[in-house]
Amino acid sequence: MNVCILTNILTPYRLPLFEAIKNQVERFNVVLMARRDKERHWEVDNYGFAAQVLPGLHFKPPRHPFSVHVNYGVQGALKKIDPDVLISGGFAPANISGFLYAREAGKKHLVWGELHAQDLEQASWLKRLIRRKLIAGSAGAIASSSRARDIFVHYGLSEDLVLTSVMPIDVDLFSDSANAFRGSDEWHVLRQRYSPPLLLSVGRLTDSKGYWEMFQIYKRLLKHHPEASLLIAGDGPERQVYENHCHAKGWQRVHFLGFQAPADIIKYLTIADLFVFHSLQDPFGAVVPEAMAAGTPVVSSIHAGATDDLIIEGKTGFRIDPKDFDRTTRQILHALEMPKNHRRQLVKNARERVGQHTFAASAKEIVDFASSLKVGQ
């Protein structure tokens, strides 16, 4: 089978899955709308599959989180590849062109998107129309979470035509690296920089990720743990605003770490007493399973897709609504005060839960699913 994936940019967390899919099929290509997005700090240069970047224009509209890509030459590139299956990630002009190519050429077209409820609430009528046309007219869809699956069904696909393939991560890498670092001399030095209990937040510094809510929660937490540290790993457009706010509050134990490479994220996960994912809207949230694999107890927002599929309350982590400051604070206090044996069991359960989703298993699932489908309507 000849499979082509059409997507915006290459991301580090997708590379191993793409490589695993390549190993499952006769031919595999990736067509990109851009080499990278300047709003992202990812540098992706080494990968084991064929990839090409489409020509086009790239710009970032005001108040839009990422760049918009307007590409040309899409159908010409796809005709040369001549895929049996086109897996299209997104609803940009290039995705529309890819959809039209598949219909004209009689190819299987699958949509692959990390959609969430806010897509229904906030999208314009034009965006909703485009999504309905592309989704309902496809042979099937691949959803990275059960929440995304529900959105695909809402837009017109029957449930049996939607594969829920929870986003895999390199569980062994995070687990083994964390275990190797935890308890080392460097671990002790890093841990001693901050006063416990130590909470870690990882994400893009923008309001949709729930930082104002986290600051309200942190303020309440200080009443119980005046020495508590909050480490914030990431960068984004609101960083200076958040830093100024914390400085005005006199919070000397809120540390802005800036962008951190994955290897350094693992180090911070190992010293943290708790990982708090406080996003207000997130199609998935790959850092949640990463924290679970690294052996860090997780408190995760109900507004993230990963929470639905990975967090079993009290068994693999804890679910929170960051907008409910008081209840979330109680949940964090409960998680911090767990007896050691309960903490060990929760960490073990979490590791086993994310271990169910490997790159090889996900790739086989996707390829088998694509093979079973018929060309869309």
Side-chain angles (χ1 to χ4, degrees):
M1 185 163 63
N2 181 0
V3 174
C4 177
I5 292 179
L6 173 62
T7 188
N8 54 355
I9 61 172
L10 286 179
T11 59
Y13 57 84
R14 285 296 192 196
L15 289 186
L17 179 58
F18 288 177
E19 290 170 354
I21 293 174
K22 176 197 170 186
N23 294 333
Q24 296 273 348
V25 298
E26 287 75 31
R27 289 181 59 198
F28 180 74
N29 286 267
V30 177
V31 176
L32 304 168
M33 300 175 204
R35 187 166 301 279
R36 65 186 300 269
D37 191 317
K38 66 179 182 180
E39 296 300 314
R40 299 288 197 179
H41 293 274
W42 297 318
E43 294 290 345
V44 179
D45 297 314
N46 298 315
Y47 41 86
F49 49 82
Q52 66 181 91
V53 181
L54 293 166
L57 303 174
H58 316 282
F59 58 94
K60 184 178 177 300
R63 297 187 297 278
H64 198 278
F66 304 112
S67 297
V68 171
H69 310 294
V70 180
N71 300 98
Y72 53 92
V74 179
Q75 298 204 13
L78 294 176
K79 285 178 181 177
K80 289 182 180 179
I81 295 169
D82 191 28
D84 303 310
V85 177
L86 175 61
I87 301 176
S88 186
F91 305 95
N95 302 109
I96 298 172
S97 186
F99 173 79
L100 295 174
Y101 159 81
R103 286 183 71 94
E104 180 68 23
K107 308 291 187 179
K108 292 182 187 178
H109 181 273
L110 279 69
V111 282
W112 190 357
E114 297 168 3
L115 302 176
H116 48 77
Q118 284 80 5
D119 284 291
L120 298 178
E121 299 166 1
Q122 300 173 4
S124 66
W125 68 268
L126 180 59
K127 285 184 177 180
R128 292 197 300 271
L129 176 63
I130 291 171
R131 290 175 183 183
R132 181 169 294 279
K133 291 291 185 182
L134 265 63
I135 292 170
S138 293
I142 301 168
S144 296
S145 68
S146 56
R147 189 172 300 185
R149 175 203 61 211
D150 294 341
I151 304 301
F152 282 126
V153 172
H154 171 86
Y155 275 123
L157 277 177
S158 61
E159 283 197 39
D160 61 314
L161 296 180
V162 182
L163 171 68
T164 304
S165 180
V166 174
M167 183 188 294
I169 63 159
D170 195 334
V171 176
D172 290 338
L173 171 65
F174 276 84
S175 180
D176 294 346
S177 298
N179 289 337
F181 183 75
R182 192 176 276 112
S184 66
D185 290 343
E186 187 181 352
W187 181 89
H188 285 288
V189 171
L190 187 60
R191 170 80 184 188
Q192 289 169 8
R193 289 182 189 172
Y194 312 104
S195 60
L198 199 162
L199 275 60
L200 176 65
S201 166
V202 179
R204 190 165 182 269
L205 272 60
T206 187
D207 291 353
S208 65
K209 297 298 184 180
Y211 284 96
W212 291 119
E213 287 72 16
M214 186 62 220
F215 295 146
Q216 288 287 341
I217 294 160
Y218 179 70
K219 180 175 72 173
R220 287 160 172 76
L221 181 66
L222 290 176
K223 297 177 183 177
H224 304 270
H225 292 283
E227 304 298 310
S229 297
L230 173 60
L231 272 61
I232 298 174
D235 212 338
E238 302 302 321
R239 176 174 176 173
Q240 192 60 58
V241 175
Y242 297 155
E243 287 186 346
N244 291 344
H245 174 77
C246 293
H247 179 74
K249 290 288 186 181
W251 292 341
Q252 298 180 3
R253 294 181 177 86
V254 177
H255 304 272
F256 289 84
L257 307 175
F259 173 78
Q260 298 292 316
D264 293 316
I265 290 293
I266 294 174
K267 293 179 180 180
Y268 283 107
L269 283 168
T270 65
I271 67 168
D273 295 300
L274 199 64
F275 172 69
V276 183
F277 192 62
H278 43 77
S279 180
L280 300 182
Q281 58 178 65
D282 215 296
F284 190 74
V287 71
V288 172
E290 290 172 354
M292 294 168 73
T296 307
V298 172
V299 173
S300 187
S301 170
I302 61 173
H303 305 292
T307 305
D308 289 343
D309 294 299
L310 299 176
I311 302 298
I312 303 171
E313 182 65 29
K315 292 185 177 181
T316 63
F318 300 94
R319 301 162 65 95
I320 59 169
D321 182 353
K323 299 176 184 178
D324 189 338
F325 309 141
D326 292 331
R327 187 175 184 280
T328 296
T329 303
R330 290 195 297 270
Q331 282 284 69
I332 289 175
L333 289 170
H334 173 68
L336 290 172
E337 294 163 5
M338 277 189 299
K340 289 183 179 180
N341 61 323
H342 289 180
R343 180 184 176 96
R344 284 194 295 269
Q345 187 61 52
L346 182 139
V347 165
K348 180 175 181 291
N349 294 342
R351 171 63 174 76
E352 291 174 351
R353 182 69 185 87
V354 295
Q356 298 173 18
H357 305 288
T358 66
F359 293 119
S362 295
K364 185 177 187 308
E365 190 177 45
I366 289 169
V367 171
D368 288 347
F369 174 70
S371 298
S372 72
L373 296 172
K374 298 179 180 179
V375 176
Q377 297 89 348

